[in-house]
């Protein structure tokens, strides 16, 4: 592909892979539960986060939880964030870096969530991964690799923090863990010297 080709025309297979996987799994959960609001028992059975003692026996849950959602609103919000933050990242960083970033951010969010929950809980959602995308964008901005205004981060981080702190049942620990993971990985996986999200 011509490197001079505008960013908006570059393929984004990683984005579509993640989107389709999340939607397909949510559709399967709806079929199992017979409702768009998925029960905690079903989430736990399919691989949601559980308290530390259970996670030690089934560590794969740290990853699978990132592809499970409790409701239509839950998955819609995360997929909107995936679209808004993930598409420009994949076009700038490349598909392999993007997928590595997303999956690692899910793990980072899951690890912090489990570590910071003392009471019994069941956690799930792609918010660790999507928060990692926002963290990566901030990391690249910090390096001077993307051209976005400061207001982009004020608005998006502000909304993310507001939802995490004030919306009922939101696992803010997963948001924070994913954001930190994404920020750090962006510093390590930074793409070519400069690309611009506005291209």
């Amino acid at each position: 592909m011509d490197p001079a080709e505008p960013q908006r025309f570059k393929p984004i297979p990683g984005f579509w892979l993640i989107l389709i996987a999340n939607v397909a799994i949510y559709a399967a959960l709806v079929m199992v539960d017979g409702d768009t609001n998925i029960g905690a028992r079903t989430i736990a059975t399919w691989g949601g986060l559980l308290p530390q003692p259970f996670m030690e026996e089934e560590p794969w849950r740290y990853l699978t939880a990132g592809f499970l959602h409790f409701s239509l609103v839950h998955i819609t919000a995360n997929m909107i964030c995936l679209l808004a933050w993930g598409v420009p990242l994949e076009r700038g960083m490349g598909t392999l870096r993007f997928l590595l970033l997303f999956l690692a951010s899910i793990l980072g969010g899951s690890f912090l969530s489990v570590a910071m929950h003392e009471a019994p809980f069941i956690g799930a959602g792609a918010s660790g991964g999507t928060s990692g995308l926002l963290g990566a964008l901030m990391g690249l901005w910090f390096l001077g690799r993307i051209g976005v205004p400061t207001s982009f981060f004020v608005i998006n981080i502000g909304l993310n923090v507001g939802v995490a702190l004030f919306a009922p049942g939101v696992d803010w620990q997963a948001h924070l863990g994913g954001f930190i993971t994404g920020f750090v990985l962006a510093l390590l996986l930074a793409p070519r010297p400069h690309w611009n999200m506005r291209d």
Side-chain angles (χ1 to χ4, degrees):
M1 179 176 292
D2 182 353
E5 184 178 355
Q7 296 282 348
R8 63 180 176 274
F9 294 123
K10 290 190 176 181
I12 46 172
F15 163 79
W16 287 110
L17 179 63
I18 294 170
L19 178 69
I20 291 170
N22 275 277
V23 172
I25 293 171
Y26 177 70
L29 291 173
V30 170
M31 293 177 63
V32 168
D33 262 21
D35 195 333
T36 56
N37 292 313
I38 312 302
R41 183 182 296 273
T42 300
I43 293 292
T45 300
W46 279 56
L49 295 178
L50 298 172
Q52 185 67 53
F54 297 96
M55 299 299 294
E56 292 175 356
E57 298 179 2
E58 300 177 330
W60 45 268
R61 290 177 177 272
Y62 285 108
L63 182 62
T64 56
F67 292 87
L68 305 173
H69 292 86
F70 285 101
S71 68
L72 184 59
V73 171
H74 190 199
I75 188 172
T76 298
N78 275 325
M79 294 306 99
I80 289 174
C81 292
L82 175 67
L83 173 65
W85 304 330
V87 170
L89 266 175
E90 182 173 3
R91 285 175 172 160
M93 299 186 75
T95 298
L96 291 180
R97 284 190 179 112
F98 168 73
L99 289 174
L100 175 61
L101 173 68
F102 183 80
L103 296 176
S105 295
I106 286 177
L107 292 175
S110 294
F111 280 124
L112 189 62
S113 177
V114 171
M116 295 186 69
H117 275 97
E118 296 182 358
F121 83 110
I122 297 175
S127 56
T130 55
S131 294
L133 301 180
L134 182 58
L137 287 171
M138 189 170 190
L140 293 172
W141 176 78
F142 179 79
L143 292 174
R145 299 293 179 87
I146 58 174
V148 293
T150 305
S151 59
F152 172 87
F153 296 103
V154 172
I155 294 171
N156 284 280
I157 293 177
L159 288 173
N160 203 25
V161 170
V163 169
L165 293 180
F166 299 110
V170 173
D171 188 350
W172 64 266
Q173 296 93 333
H175 287 231
L176 178 60
F179 184 89
I180 293 172
T181 302
F183 181 87
V184 172
L185 278 180
L187 304 182
L188 301 176
L189 300 175
R192 57 186 175 275
H194 183 78
W195 57 276
N196 194 321
M197 280 177 54
R198 295 170 296 187
D199 289 346

